[in-house]
Amino acid sequence: LLQLQPPARAAPLTARGPAACYGTSVTSAKIQVNGVHLHYQQTGEGSHAVLLLPGMLGSGQTDFGPQLKSMNKQLFTVVAWDPRGYGKSIPPSRDFPPDFFERDAKDAVDLMQALKFKKFSLLGWSDGGITALIAAARYPNLIHKLVVWGANASVTQEDVRIYNGIRDVSKWSEKVKKPLEELYGHKYFAETCEAWVDGISRFAENSDGNICQQLLPDIKCPTFIIHGEKDPLVPQAHAEYIHKHIKGSR
């Protein structure tokens, strides 16, 4: 599925977006969606369109650099987006109202429609996996296939304890911290991480800690769930729950 090739170079941008047609290069542009200017990268010319959804504090480039470079560009047209308030989709600053996952799901789907994709697949990592689950359930006619990894459909009290363990970014490993500090600057990075911990922890107050459990049976597309057994942030029981409640998932 993957092909190796030299690092892709970004095509020149015009005020209206990419100047070059999409090929093996990676183009970078912004498009207005739901009142905000969302940044995305696009590469490839295949008939199968795929949206890559990054995790908490992530961006297309920080979370999916290898995929943008090496996914098969004849089979796929690959789009990686920066959700509002993340990456280069600032302004606005990132906030976490109770419906932030639903908002991201609508933004993601509306972005792909603005880019004129009629049907597309979703590959979501971490928070992006949660967003992808919601999008696949809410917009079944638009989603071709779904891959989620490191995702959860609820928040337990144990999860809240784990999240509070990463609240202080000064305690993060240099390897994880450095690219995010370079992307955001220390202040925005630190404050947004704290806001994320508060925002996602609120789901624990719901019945069963629900984020999107009730939506899982509505997902009809082929679904593949990936989970790392050493994932320090998301216990494996979450992946097993998602698998059990999406019919036919693997």
Side-chain angles (χ1 to χ4, degrees):
L1 222 81
L2 297 178
Q3 67 182 33
L4 295 173
Q5 54 195 54
R9 291 180 59 192
L13 292 182
T14 67
R16 293 187 169 271
C21 63
Y22 294 107
T24 55
S25 62
V26 179
T27 63
S28 174
K30 281 189 168 186
I31 188 167
Q32 185 160 346
V33 177
N34 298 328
V36 296
H37 289 90
L38 295 174
H39 177 260
Y40 68 95
Q41 290 165 284
Q42 184 168 333
T43 187
E45 50 203 356
S47 59
H48 189 158
V50 183
L51 176 64
L52 309 178
L53 299 95
M56 171 263 274
L57 281 161
S59 67
Q61 189 59 49
T62 55
D63 286 14
F64 295 112
Q67 287 79 10
L68 285 164
K69 179 180 159 184
S70 301
M71 275 184 79
N72 186 317
K73 303 197 181 198
Q74 278 67 55
L75 285 179
F76 300 111
T77 297
V78 181
V79 178
W81 82 311
D82 298 356
R84 63 169 75 197
Y86 284 163
K88 294 181 180 174
S89 294
I90 303 171
S93 293
R94 182 70 182 184
D95 63 349
F96 299 94
D99 66 342
F100 73 90
F101 283 119
E102 298 271 355
R103 182 181 67 183
D104 283 351
K106 181 168 173 34
D107 281 350
V109 168
D110 290 352
L111 166 72
M112 291 300 278
Q113 294 204 292
L115 295 176
K116 305 288 188 256
F117 294 107
K118 290 186 171 64
K119 196 159 188 171
F120 46 92
S121 293
L122 302 172
L123 283 81
W125 150 248
S126 188
D127 273 16
I130 300 172
T131 301
L133 291 169
I134 294 169
R138 294 264 188 235
Y139 308 95
N141 296 333
L142 300 177
I143 309 306
H144 180 44
K145 293 184 176 182
L146 173 65
V147 179
V148 297
W149 61 103
N152 49 299
S154 64
V155 175
T156 67
Q157 290 301 328
E158 170 64 8
D159 294 331
V160 172
R161 188 188 66 75
I162 295 170
Y163 300 151
N164 276 301
I166 65 160
R167 178 185 289 276
D168 181 356
V169 298
S170 69
K171 295 177 181 167
W172 288 28
S173 75
E174 206 52 42
K175 181 186 173 190
V176 179
K177 185 167 61 174
K178 191 165 181 249
L180 292 170
E181 283 196 327
E182 286 173 358
L183 180 62
Y184 294 118
H186 178 76
K187 185 172 186 284
Y188 188 91
F189 169 44
E191 289 176 353
T192 306
C193 181
E194 286 200 25
W196 176 84
V197 170
D198 291 339
I200 196 158
S201 295
R202 272 189 224 108
F203 288 102
E205 298 163 14
N206 294 345
S207 173
D208 292 333
N210 180 48
I211 301 174
C212 60
Q213 290 171 317
Q214 78 288 0
L215 294 176
L216 300 182
D218 296 340
I219 296 173
K220 306 300 184 203
C221 63
T223 300
F224 187 45
I225 298 152
I226 303 171
H227 205 80
E229 66 177 18
K230 296 179 182 176
D231 189 316
L233 209 58
V234 184
Q236 190 171 318
H238 285 299
E240 290 164 358
Y241 182 95
I242 293 167
H243 173 44
K244 184 179 175 185
H245 289 87
I246 299 178
K247 193 176 178 187
S249 62
R250 293 190 296 147

